[in-house]
Amino acid sequence: MKSITLFLCLFTYFSASAQESCMTVENIKALDAQWEEKNLNPDPEFFKRVLADDFVWVHNHASMIDTKTSTVKRAEKQAANEGSDTRSRIQSEVKVAITGNTAIVTGFTIVDRGPTPTRYHFMRTYVEVNGTCFLTGNHTMAIPEGE
């Protein structure tokens, strides 16, 4: 009888754990805020852990396209030089839309690298795989001053 009770307790615990999802608005917003913070204060291990293997980042007018490898390498270089040249990154108007195991995050980020800050619109795509959320795509577009 004790072994059946133990089995049922373990089954219930693991079933509940398996049902937990990273795909909630709160979790995705927190993960996206970490993305911004780790771009300000480079942490290569964060990028290795969070970026999908086929991650793609399309920058302003496709002026540059990054992969997981290039993003991690840039973070490693910046970390070795004790940081990036970015003074601040401030998000606003962040919205999350979730469909199934996919979240689309949109909003604005003001990036200050001097001499004046630049406002970007972004759209990022997160996908949940086996209970873990990965960033698979990022598109950023600078907004001209006055718009």
Side-chain angles (χ1 to χ4, degrees):
M1 183 69 173
K2 285 184 179 180
S3 59
I4 291 174
T5 304
L6 178 61
F7 172 77
L8 288 175
C9 288
L10 289 173
F11 178 78
T12 302
Y13 171 77
F14 287 112
S15 293
S17 296
Q19 293 174 2
E20 290 181 25
S21 172
C22 62
M23 194 56 62
T24 67
V25 170
E26 297 79 21
N27 288 345
I28 295 299
K29 277 189 174 183
L31 184 58
D32 201 66
Q34 285 182 319
W35 162 262
E36 291 288 358
E37 196 277 325
K38 299 306 181 187
N39 273 286
L40 181 62
N41 300 300
D43 178 359
E45 294 307 312
F46 171 82
F47 296 117
K48 289 176 187 176
R49 186 175 63 254
V50 171
L51 299 182
D53 289 340
D54 57 354
F55 169 77
V56 62
W57 180 356
V58 179
H59 294 263
N60 199 41
H61 297 287
S63 60
M64 183 169 65
I65 298 175
D66 275 312
T67 63
K68 179 177 184 173
T69 300
S70 62
T71 302
V72 169
K73 282 182 182 178
R74 181 172 47 252
E76 289 171 339
K77 182 178 177 185
Q78 290 171 333
N81 292 329
E82 299 182 10
S84 72
D85 61 349
T86 304
R87 298 176 191 153
S88 66
R89 298 178 70 92
I90 302 169
Q91 281 186 309
S92 65
E93 300 178 51
V94 178
K95 295 179 182 150
V96 177
I98 297 175
T99 303
N101 70 335
T102 304
I104 304 294
V105 181
T106 59
F108 298 91
T109 302
I110 297 175
V111 178
D112 185 0
R113 289 190 190 98
T116 60
T118 302
R119 186 172 191 232
Y120 292 89
H121 183 267
F122 67 83
M123 184 173 80
R124 291 189 266 276
T125 304
Y126 293 87
V127 175
E128 181 179 19
V129 179
N130 298 323
T132 302
C133 284
F134 296 96
L135 180 55
T136 61
N138 183 22
H139 185 268
T140 52
M141 182 66 67
I143 300 170
E145 287 187 45
E147 287 188 29

